[in-house]
Amino acid sequence: MRMEYVHGYSAEEGTRLTDQAATLTELLHADTRYPPGSQVLEAGCGIGAQTVILAGNSPRATFTSVDVSAESLAEAERQVLEAGITNVSFRQADIFDLPYVSAHFDHVFVCFVLEHLPNPAGALAALMRVLKPGGSITVIEGDHGSAYFHPDSEHARRAIQCLVDLQRQAGGDSLIGRRLYPLLVQAGYRDVTVSPRMVYADATRPALVDGFTRKTFTAMVEGVGERAVGQGLMDEASWAAGIRDLHRAAEDDGTFCYTFFKAVGLR
Amino acid sequence: MRMEYVHGYSAEEGTRLTDQAATLTELLHADTRYPPGSQVLEAGCGIGAQTVILAGNSPRATFTSVDVSAESLAEAERQVLEAGITNVSFRQADIFDLPYVSAHFDHVFVCFVLEHLPNPAGALAALMRVLKPGGSITVIEGDHGSAYFHPDSEHARRAIQCLVDLQRQAGGDSLIGRRLYPLLVQAGYRDVTVSPRMVYADATRPALVDGFTRKTFTAMVEGVGERAVGQGLMDEASWAAGIRDLHRAAEDDGTFCYTFFKAVGLR
């Protein structure tokens, strides 16, 4: 999942929005800090949305961020440069065929990647190979089945289910958050701990409502509308009702819940 | 929801189970402490499961616990006596027709009650009447739509939906957790804050798996099996598969998630 935060329209609003975007970043990343001198692999960095936070939080660790897409890497490099971050190097690579000797890295970090892979267990095994004994892996994933809201709406629930179905068609699993524990254990990691990170948005947290409920989650569902309707998963009117009802949950008397899962294990 | 904790089979096991039951109690109750001398109304105390914790956590406050059922009150009184708690008095009363003058209480506490009422908004208004200006109301409720698990199972999801449907037939709303915020705001409470309290159970928390996943949540679903099948909401084989799949989520590679909501508002 890619987070899209709304930008403020006034200085005061801007500060508040930044604070609440920071809340979500804190929620997911605050407890990931790597010791000075450690070598960390970020596997599947995409356009660098997490790279900036990750490397910024551990300025004296050295990060190697890899991705299969050269285009994404170019954007990630631009973002890191713009943020003035200097402890990251980038390399084009496939998680399943990493160009590193065994036990090369002190730690591995994977965020919003496994959900897209047909074989997440294989990816975790491939990452274990390049991790030093005693080193840690940290995995963060969402779980679209954790989304619920008020007012409840069958149309909205069906629209979210379309997203889950389409991601499954593409070989991914958007319900992966809840199964991080068995995935890591079965891949052979030890001392696996999983902690859910729940986002709850109501009118007392207006920027979270706007930045997360509307502009992250609902926007993501809206993004598959053409495919969902085109494939006949939902008819156009029901789809529109589903999207309208997700926006309805972002009104003053609505609420929205979503949970991310963070797992840490040791080789 | 009534919590049923498993009892230990050995001293060591017993201690661990008590610790994890304590974890759940902490999760829900730890941040509710009333000042010495304050008068607190517990509305809908049932058999006193929460009364013992509530009054034990604020030993110098004075509690009045009311319930419509004389039978439940007798059991609550027995429990409180057994726990050696002396700061609670009991009275048979209807939340919608409380035998107290306006602004009688400093604080009001309601736990696992609104979910059963056809008119929770009316109950919140009736409770506001007996609350002093500036006094607080604390509401704790579950939300059965917040339950999800690995391995995912349509049968299990449908079995949970039967519980939701049957509670709705009886005039209740077992998805009430997510709507505490608008309910309290619309009833006229101010400074309303809601915080979700998520329970996540995997094999690293065996007593939570046993005490919550199996013996609280799954047992509660199992409890409506006869009615669900009897009313034709599910056929017997599908129901059995649903219950089997909920137990499956309590195995070593399973996970289970559920969220309680705690709301606090001021008159």
Side-chain angles (χ1 to χ4, degrees):
Chain A
M1 186 188 295
R2 182 163 150 197
M3 305 285 152
E4 308 263 3
Y5 300 119
V6 67
H7 296 295
Y9 303 107
S10 68
E12 196 190 333
E13 179 72 0
T15 304
R16 201 177 50 161
L17 296 177
T18 304
D19 287 352
Q20 293 188 14
T23 300
L24 203 52
T25 299
E26 279 287 297
L27 184 74
L28 300 182
H29 292 281
D31 52 349
T32 299
R33 310 274 159 160
Y34 295 107
S38 54
Q39 295 283 339
V40 184
L41 173 68
E42 185 195 11
C45 64
I47 59 158
Q50 314 307 318
T51 314
V52 173
I53 303 161
L54 189 70
N57 280 345
S58 298
R60 298 177 61 200
T62 302
F63 293 85
T64 303
S65 295
V66 307
D67 203 273
V68 277
S69 158
E71 200 184 332
S72 292
L73 280 172
E75 173 60 19
E77 205 150 5
R78 201 192 60 72
Q79 292 231 12
V80 159
L81 198 69
E82 195 178 287
I85 285 168
T86 56
N87 56 333
V88 183
S89 62
F90 292 95
R91 185 161 178 181
Q92 191 175 3
D94 183 337
I95 288 177
F96 292 90
D97 187 24
L98 290 164
Y100 302 101
V101 296
S102 293
H104 183 77
F105 292 100
D106 296 304
H107 304 285
V108 171
F109 180 87
V110 196
C111 186
F112 305 144
V113 172
L114 299 186
E115 60 172 323
H116 301 294
L117 304 179
N119 182 9
L124 288 170
L127 290 168
M128 184 181 268
R129 186 189 64 80
V130 300
L131 184 59
K132 286 182 185 160
S136 74
I137 186 167
T138 299
V139 183
I140 302 175
E141 298 287 344
D143 189 312
H144 294 351
S146 75
Y148 55 98
F149 35 84
H150 173 75
D152 189 23
S153 150
E154 199 193 323
H155 288 306
R157 276 187 272 123
R158 284 183 56 210
I160 295 168
Q161 188 58 44
C162 288
L163 182 64
V164 174
D165 292 344
L166 289 166
Q167 191 151 341
R168 187 152 289 154
Q169 267 183 33
D173 177 8
S174 56
L175 307 183
I176 200 166
R178 70 187 73 178
R179 68 187 183 103
L180 287 185
Y181 176 77
L183 274 171
L184 266 78
V185 169
Q186 284 158 16
Y189 293 95
R190 59 185 174 81
D191 296 343
V192 176
T193 56
V194 172
S195 61
R197 315 276 163 124
M198 182 172 172
V199 179
Y200 166 75
D202 65 27
T204 63
R205 304 168 194 195
L208 204 55
V209 170
D210 202 47
F212 188 76
T213 308
R214 283 200 194 97
K215 296 207 165 81
T216 300
F217 190 82
T218 303
M220 185 173 59
V221 177
E222 281 186 275
V224 301
E226 261 180 55
R227 276 194 291 154
V229 174
Q231 291 194 18
L233 299 179
M234 277 177 88
D235 66 71
E236 200 154 349
S238 302
W239 178 265
I243 298 300
R244 183 198 63 208
D245 290 350
L246 285 174
H247 281 287
R248 176 69 187 80
E251 289 180 24
D252 271 0
D253 59 348
T255 65
F256 188 85
C257 301
Y258 187 91
T259 299
F260 297 93
F261 290 79
K262 184 167 186 172
V264 178
L266 300 180
R267 173 169 180 181
Chain B
M1 187 188 297
R2 182 164 152 195
M3 306 285 152
E4 307 264 2
Y5 300 118
V6 67
H7 297 293
Y9 304 107
S10 68
E12 197 190 333
E13 178 74 359
T15 304
R16 202 178 50 159
L17 295 177
T18 305
D19 287 352
Q20 291 188 18
T23 299
L24 202 52
T25 298
E26 277 289 298
L27 184 73
L28 300 183
H29 292 280
D31 52 350
T32 299
R33 309 276 157 159
Y34 296 107
S38 54
Q39 294 284 338
V40 184
L41 173 68
E42 186 196 8
C45 65
I47 59 158
Q50 314 306 318
T51 313
V52 173
I53 304 161
L54 188 71
N57 280 344
S58 298
R60 297 178 61 202
T62 302
F63 293 84
T64 304
S65 295
V66 306
D67 203 273
V68 277
S69 158
E71 201 185 333
S72 292
L73 279 173
E75 172 60 18
E77 205 150 5
R78 202 192 60 73
Q79 292 232 11
V80 159
L81 197 71
E82 194 177 287
I85 285 169
T86 55
N87 56 333
V88 183
S89 60
F90 292 94
R91 184 161 178 181
Q92 190 175 3
D94 183 336
I95 288 178
F96 291 91
D97 187 23
L98 290 162
Y100 302 101
V101 297
S102 294
H104 184 77
F105 292 100
D106 296 305
H107 304 287
V108 171
F109 180 88
V110 195
C111 185
F112 305 144
V113 172
L114 299 186
E115 62 171 324
H116 300 295
L117 304 179
N119 182 10
L124 288 170
L127 290 168
M128 183 181 270
R129 185 187 68 77
V130 301
L131 184 58
K132 286 183 185 161
S136 74
I137 186 166
T138 298
V139 183
I140 302 175
E141 297 287 343
D143 189 312
H144 294 352
S146 74
Y148 54 99
F149 35 85
H150 173 75
D152 190 23
S153 150
E154 199 193 324
H155 288 307
R157 277 187 272 122
R158 283 182 57 210
I160 295 169
Q161 187 59 43
C162 287
L163 183 62
V164 173
D165 292 344
L166 289 166
Q167 191 151 341
R168 187 152 291 154
Q169 267 184 32
D173 178 9
S174 57
L175 309 182
I176 201 166
R178 72 187 72 177
R179 67 186 184 104
L180 288 185
Y181 176 76
L183 274 172
L184 267 76
V185 169
Q186 284 157 15
Y189 292 94
R190 59 186 174 79
D191 296 343
V192 175
T193 56
V194 172
S195 62
R197 315 278 164 121
M198 183 172 170
V199 178
Y200 165 77
D202 66 28
T204 63
R205 304 166 195 196
L208 204 55
V209 170
D210 202 47
F212 188 76
T213 308
R214 282 199 194 97
K215 297 207 165 81
T216 299
F217 189 82
T218 303
M220 183 170 60
V221 178
E222 282 186 275
V224 302
E226 261 181 54
R227 276 193 291 155
V229 174
Q231 291 195 18
L233 298 179
M234 278 178 87
D235 65 72
E236 199 153 350
S238 302
W239 178 266
I243 298 300
R244 182 198 64 209
D245 290 350
L246 284 174
H247 282 287
R248 176 70 188 80
E251 288 179 24
D252 270 359
D253 60 347
T255 65
F256 187 85
C257 302
Y258 187 90
T259 299
F260 297 92
F261 290 79
K262 184 167 186 172
V264 178
L266 301 180
R267 171 165 181 185

